[in-house]
Every structure is written in C-alpha cells, then in structure tokens.
Amino acid sequence: RLEWARGLDVRQVTETDDFDVLYWVGCAAAYDPRIQKIARSVVQLLNRAQVRFVVLGPLERCTGESARRIGEEFLFQELAHTNLETLHSHRIRTILTHCPHCLNSFQNDYPQFGERFVVKHHTEYLRELMDEGKLTFPESSLSTGSRTVTYHDPCRLGRQMNLYDKPRDLVQAVDGVDLVEMEHHGEDALCCGVSSMMACNENSRGLRLQRFDEVNATGADIMLTTCPKCVAHFECLKFEGDPRHDFEILDVVSFLARQVNSRQ
C-alpha cells in the first residue's frame, strides 16, 4: 500500500507524531497505476505548501464504502472497526482524502459508530491552502498559451457532498486556463456510469459516450474530474479505441501539479 509513494517525501504515522493531517490514500490510489498518479500529485502539492502530513501505509484498509453500498454490511462493519481502532491508536482527528467515496464513509457512515473526524476532500483542503497563501501557482504556467479544459462533477462529490465550486476555483487559479462547462454540469451532471453497480453493462457505456460527446462539444483539450472512479471508468473507453476520445482525462490535482512541475 505504499509502493505508489516510491521516491517521494512521505512519512508514515508510525514514524512520527509531529503532524497536522492524515492523508487517506484509499485502495484505488494504492494499487491502480492510473490513480497512483493522483496520490503522487497530492503529495507534491502538500509538500510544496509545507503541510505536515502522514499516511497510514500498510495500516490502511478499505473504508468499506463499496461493501456497504452492495449490502455486505458485516464486511463493512469489520473494516470500519479495524480502521477506527487504527485511527484511535494514533490520535487522528483530521483526515484528507482525494476519493469522494472514502469521504462519504468518514462523513456519513463512520459517525454511526459514534466517531466524527474533520474530513476534507483534497479540493477543499488545497483551496484553503491557496486562500492562506501557502499554495501558489506560477504565472504563465501553461507555456503553450491558453488551454481549454472542462470539468466533470462526480456524483458523490457533487450531488451528495454539494462540492461544486472549489474544484473549479482551483482550476481557474492557473494562469492561462479557459474553463468551459459541458451541457450537463453541476447538479445536472451526468454520471460516469460506475454508480448503481452498472459499471460493466451497456447503459454505463452509453453514459460515458454521451459524456464524451459533451466534452468534444466544448472544444476542451482536457476533461478534469475529482474522483478516482470517474478517472478509471472514463479511461476504459481509451482502450476500446473510441474516436471520440481525443482529449486527456485528469484529476484536478494532477493538472495542478503538472503546472507547478512545468515551471520548476
């Protein structure tokens, strides 16, 4: 669970008690090479802002969010109690995560066991760092001039968590970027197709194709989102060679880290 951090300055919770926030990496970023890039980008920006953070490393387990959604309540509670014991033993109170599904567990499921934490999505936390002047982006980061991007609202983060503005604020903080909205955005955004356990059927593929048509209608070079499941499921069509997939798919934090690294 720590292979994704190879070569990065990442401390584990067992190595120090001098930290302010726990970065909850999640299963996708631990094991999926596409999503590992998101975790690495989060770390790069946290280090840039000199945030004192730690990770659980091998102590981290799945939050159990997907297990509960499909009715495996016993498995969910087993995972939840294991995680809560770990968090208690290291006196964790503030948690940062890039995954809306992990965020949902900590904010809405775990309090049912009498546990509440300060939990923030990475776009919330990075926006706070930006407002405090701890995180800045170089001027003229986009060396090729104005770049058109569009933003896909994940269902969990948008309609459930009501987080619409902060991801967009971060994108627009980059000099030279032009954010263009798709036909369906905000509360009206289309699902990536993974919700309701229909990720592998034809209805799911139809949703993604419709979303791709909307992206192309904006003229965007990049479709941004803020959910690892959205990134993974949209990228599935890349392997099918669909001609509508002529744009890049990135998490917002990967886009931001790219701009910082391009000017170093």
Side-chain angles (χ1 to χ4, degrees):
R1 272 191 176 264
L2 203 58
E3 191 67 22
W4 63 271
R6 182 183 295 274
L8 294 178
D9 182 14
V10 176
R11 297 182 301 169
Q12 296 184 59
V13 72
T14 53
E15 298 172 340
T16 180
D17 57 3
D18 182 24
F19 62 90
D20 298 319
V21 62
L22 170 73
Y23 174 32
W24 186 275
V25 178
C27 300
Y31 300 120
D32 188 329
R34 295 168 298 186
I35 312 306
Q36 287 175 347
K37 299 173 185 177
I38 298 175
R40 293 179 66 85
S41 296
V42 171
V43 167
Q44 290 175 32
L45 294 186
L46 291 179
N47 283 334
R48 179 179 175 84
Q50 299 183 333
V51 174
R52 299 187 306 169
F53 72 96
V54 292
V55 298
L56 290 181
L59 297 178
E60 188 180 288
R61 296 289 181 270
C62 177
T63 62
E65 200 262 359
S66 295
R68 172 168 264 196
R69 301 287 87 78
I70 64 173
E72 287 282 359
E73 183 64 18
F74 179 81
L75 176 59
F76 163 73
Q77 292 200 23
E78 185 178 44
L79 290 166
H81 285 300
T82 298
N83 285 326
L84 288 171
E85 288 178 6
T86 300
L87 295 172
H88 272 306
S89 66
H90 294 284
R91 299 185 296 278
I92 304 297
R93 300 313 310 167
T94 303
I95 301 173
L96 164 69
T97 180
H98 62 255
C99 178
H101 296 266
C102 294
L103 184 71
N104 178 57
S105 284
F106 288 121
Q107 283 194 351
N108 299 316
D109 291 336
Y110 283 30
Q112 295 171 18
F113 302 103
E115 299 295 336
R116 290 190 178 274
F117 304 92
V118 176
V119 191
K120 296 182 179 181
H121 189 251
H122 70 314
T123 57
E124 292 181 281
Y125 195 75
L126 294 175
R127 173 62 196 272
E128 290 175 4
L129 293 175
M130 188 176 69
D131 290 343
E132 294 168 3
K134 297 178 180 178
L135 181 63
T136 58
F137 302 103
E139 293 185 4
S140 302
S141 299
L142 301 180
S143 57
T144 57
S146 180
R147 198 93 184 265
T148 304
V149 303
T150 191
Y151 175 71
H152 165 79
D153 292 277
C155 297
R156 274 277 188 271
L157 194 67
R159 281 186 285 269
Q160 184 164 343
M161 305 293 182
N162 201 36
L163 278 171
Y164 296 108
D165 295 334
K166 288 181 173 60
R168 290 172 166 83
D169 292 342
L170 287 170
V171 173
Q172 292 175 316
V174 178
D175 183 52
V177 68
D178 183 17
L179 176 62
V180 180
E181 298 288 1
M182 286 180 269
E183 178 182 351
H184 294 90
H185 62 276
E187 293 182 354
D188 297 325
L190 300 179
C191 178
C192 73
V194 69
S195 294
S196 302
M197 304 305 147
M198 61 180 184
C200 296
N201 67 24
E202 191 61 25
N203 288 334
S204 168
R205 187 174 186 276
L207 278 172
R208 281 175 279 172
L209 288 174
Q210 183 179 350
R211 203 55 164 158
F212 279 15
D213 287 338
E214 292 193 0
V215 174
N216 286 320
T218 68
D221 304 299
I222 303 173
M223 181 180 76
L224 300 172
T225 188
T226 46
C227 174
K229 291 189 177 183
C230 290
V231 171
H233 284 84
F234 279 127
E235 284 203 341
C236 284
L237 289 185
K238 179 185 294 187
F239 301 105
E240 298 177 18
D242 190 279
R244 281 169 283 198
H245 192 288
D246 58 355
F247 51 86
E248 192 173 10
I249 300 170
L250 289 175
D251 187 279
V252 165
V253 73
S254 298
F255 178 73
L256 298 177
R258 175 184 293 180
Q259 311 318 319
V260 170
N261 293 335
S262 69
R263 301 297 293 179
Q264 290 180 347

